[in-house]
Amino acid sequence: MRLTRRGVIVAALVTVLTLTGCTSSGYPADPEGTLDEVSGGTLSVGVVHHPPYVDATGAEPSGSEVDLVRAFAEQIDADIAWTASGEEALMTGLESGAVDLVAGGLTDQTPWSSKASLTRSYAEDTGPDGSTVQLVLAVPLGENQLLGELERFLDEHHEGARP
């Protein structure tokens, strides 16, 4: 009977320790450690020229999404390394780890959704055909801690954000 009671106690202890480990600050996890790497370091941001969200014609990009990214980088104490290019090159950069985040008027209907993790919609706008579009940002697939931190930021700091 003692062995059974001891077995129950050990099983309960293992369960408690396992559940405690699952709620640590490392979850949701970033398999590549992106959030930990860029926090207090450098956030590599790819921008697609798509005014008014991103104007990449100057020495430094500007626009509403650039302002959002700058505020997010400030919140995580990161410097920003900007890369201006086309969507295909930047989405490939997300896959390879060359960029950590892509901005540039992406919508939740982007054909790149199988190549990147998209934030929840943070705002609505009118598309070229007059339909309503949902604006999103993109991060590397699987980097869920980075995605979660970015979504929390958008929820808390963007006027068009939804809870």
Side-chain angles (χ1 to χ4, degrees):
M1 188 75 166
R2 266 188 124 163
L3 289 176
T4 303
R5 186 175 291 164
R6 182 178 290 172
V8 169
I9 291 170
V10 168
L13 184 59
V14 168
T15 300
V16 168
L17 291 174
T18 300
L19 291 175
T20 301
C22 289
T23 61
S24 72
S25 64
Y27 287 87
D30 275 354
E32 300 298 323
T34 304
L35 182 60
D36 287 339
E37 184 178 307
V38 301
S39 295
T42 301
L43 179 68
S44 298
V45 180
V47 290
V48 179
H49 180 72
H50 191 168
Y53 316 110
V54 173
D55 182 344
T57 58
E60 281 276 316
S62 61
S64 60
E65 288 187 355
V66 171
D67 293 342
L68 277 176
V69 170
R70 282 189 175 118
F72 175 66
E74 184 177 315
Q75 179 173 301
I76 62 170
D77 191 31
D79 294 324
I80 300 174
W82 300 102
T83 301
S85 194
E87 282 184 23
E88 184 173 358
L90 294 174
M91 292 302 177
T92 300
L94 275 179
E95 285 186 299
S96 71
V99 294
D100 305 311
L101 188 153
V102 173
L106 299 174
T107 72
D108 64 349
Q109 298 300 308
T110 181
W112 302 106
S113 61
S114 65
K115 304 284 185 187
S117 292
L118 304 176
T119 62
R120 291 186 301 269
S121 169
Y122 72 86
E124 290 183 349
D125 204 353
T126 303
D129 63 357
S131 66
T132 300
V133 295
Q134 305 295 319
L135 297 173
V136 298
L137 300 172
V139 299
L141 278 175
E143 296 303 282
N144 297 321
Q145 196 172 14
L146 174 63
L147 180 64
E149 187 69 21
L150 180 56
E151 287 183 335
R152 273 188 294 284
F153 168 80
L154 292 171
D155 289 347
E156 293 171 6
H157 294 93
H158 191 269
E159 289 179 27
R162 290 182 247 149

